[in-house]
Every structure is written in C-alpha cells, then in structure tokens.
Amino acid sequence: MALSPEIAGGAGKQVDSDLRHAAVMALGELGRSHDYRDRADAGHGLAGFAEMQTALGPLLGLVLDPDDTFVTRRTAEALLRRKDRVGLTVVASALAVADSHHSEWIHTAIVDVFSVFSDDRDHAIQLCEEMSRGADERVALGARQLQEILAEIDPVLRPA
C-alpha cells in the first residue's frame, strides 16, 4: 500500500522506492534458502519487481536454480505472466545458457502462459523479434529461441 504524500510527510515516492528496495532485498534473501519452496516463492515474488536492477541477478539465478526445476518453472512462469519486455528478457537470458533440463521446464512455462490468447502470444513474438536484434548477444540468442517456441504454440482463443 502506497502512502499518500500527506501521510508520508511529502515523501511518498521515496517511501515507495525504499519499500520496493527492501522487498527485493528480502525476496533475494529468501531466494537463497535451502528449501525449494522458499526459492520458488521468492522467484514468484521477485518477478513483480523485475524492472528493478537489483532484482535481475536473483531472478536469473532462480530461473536457472541448480537444485530444483520447480523453482525454474515457477519463476519463469511468473516472469512470463508479466507479458512485457522485462520479463521476456530475463527468461530469454536464462534460456540462452540453460541446460536441456532447465530448457524443458522453461519451455513448459512458455506454453502454459502463452497457449490461451493469441494476442498475448503475438505480442510476445513481436517483442522477441525486437530483442533478437539487440546488442546483448545472450539476450538476442535467447530471444530467438523463445520466439521459435512461441511460434509453435497454437493458442486456444483468437480475436473474433
């Protein structure tokens, strides 16, 4: 809940920024838990803060979780459900370096998120096309892989 400037003494934006930073730090710490459920919850929560630079490293680490692919799937799905460039960029970056086991679970998350609405899938394909021409070679490679997966999906619902 954001504090109004009157309640926060005119520092509403600073309070929001500080609280968001604190949330990312707390979720990042949870993401280092020994319990896979904590790490999965951290990935799910951090996805909501993916636009913050401090969340990117922990998110990438959770998508590529070395101990449990449930964490991989849950984090990737949360990032993809953002349906924006930021979420797709993290997933593409992970996909570019993922081993076959992680790739399989990322692929599952992609299908789960984008197999319902054709508009969502088409928008994601467009973003991947743009990202594949970017300067970051790792993201570009992952975006091309992500685009190939998206192109294979036949969504259930299409515009009338």
Side-chain angles (χ1 to χ4, degrees):
M1 178 173 80
L3 298 175
S4 72
E6 297 80 30
I7 295 172
K13 284 291 186 196
Q14 184 61 39
V15 171
D16 289 351
S17 176
D18 291 346
L19 289 174
R20 291 177 62 77
H21 179 74
V24 168
M25 293 296 104
L27 288 166
E29 185 66 29
L30 187 63
R32 292 187 286 280
S33 171
H34 294 291
D35 189 321
Y36 75 95
R37 293 167 297 194
D38 288 342
R39 295 192 313 277
D41 287 344
H44 183 264
L46 275 169
F49 299 96
E51 71 282 352
M52 296 179 64
Q53 191 66 36
T54 54
L56 296 179
L59 279 166
L60 187 57
L62 290 166
V63 174
L64 297 172
D65 188 273
D67 298 320
D68 199 301
T69 52
F70 176 70
V71 179
T72 296
R73 183 166 186 262
R74 180 106 191 262
T75 305
E77 187 173 319
L79 285 162
L80 293 165
R81 288 203 184 282
R82 291 176 57 101
K83 298 180 179 149
D84 66 1
R85 182 182 303 273
V86 173
L88 290 170
T89 297
V90 177
V91 172
S93 184
L95 195 55
V97 297
D99 61 30
S100 62
H101 198 59
H102 284 89
S103 292
E104 180 179 324
W105 287 105
I106 294 169
H107 186 279
T108 299
I110 295 164
V111 171
D112 286 350
V113 171
F114 292 104
S115 63
V116 178
F117 297 106
S118 64
D119 288 348
D120 291 342
R121 192 244 3 226
D122 295 345
H123 179 68
I125 288 173
Q126 178 187 355
L127 289 173
C128 287
E129 286 174 3
E130 294 168 10
M131 291 166 25
S132 70
R133 294 187 298 267
D136 185 322
E137 190 54 41
R138 178 171 158 174
V139 172
L141 172 62
R144 288 189 291 275
Q145 293 172 345
L146 183 52
Q147 185 178 355
E148 288 175 17
I149 296 167
L150 289 164
E152 294 174 359
I153 297 172
D154 184 21
V156 175
L157 299 175
R158 300 179 186 285

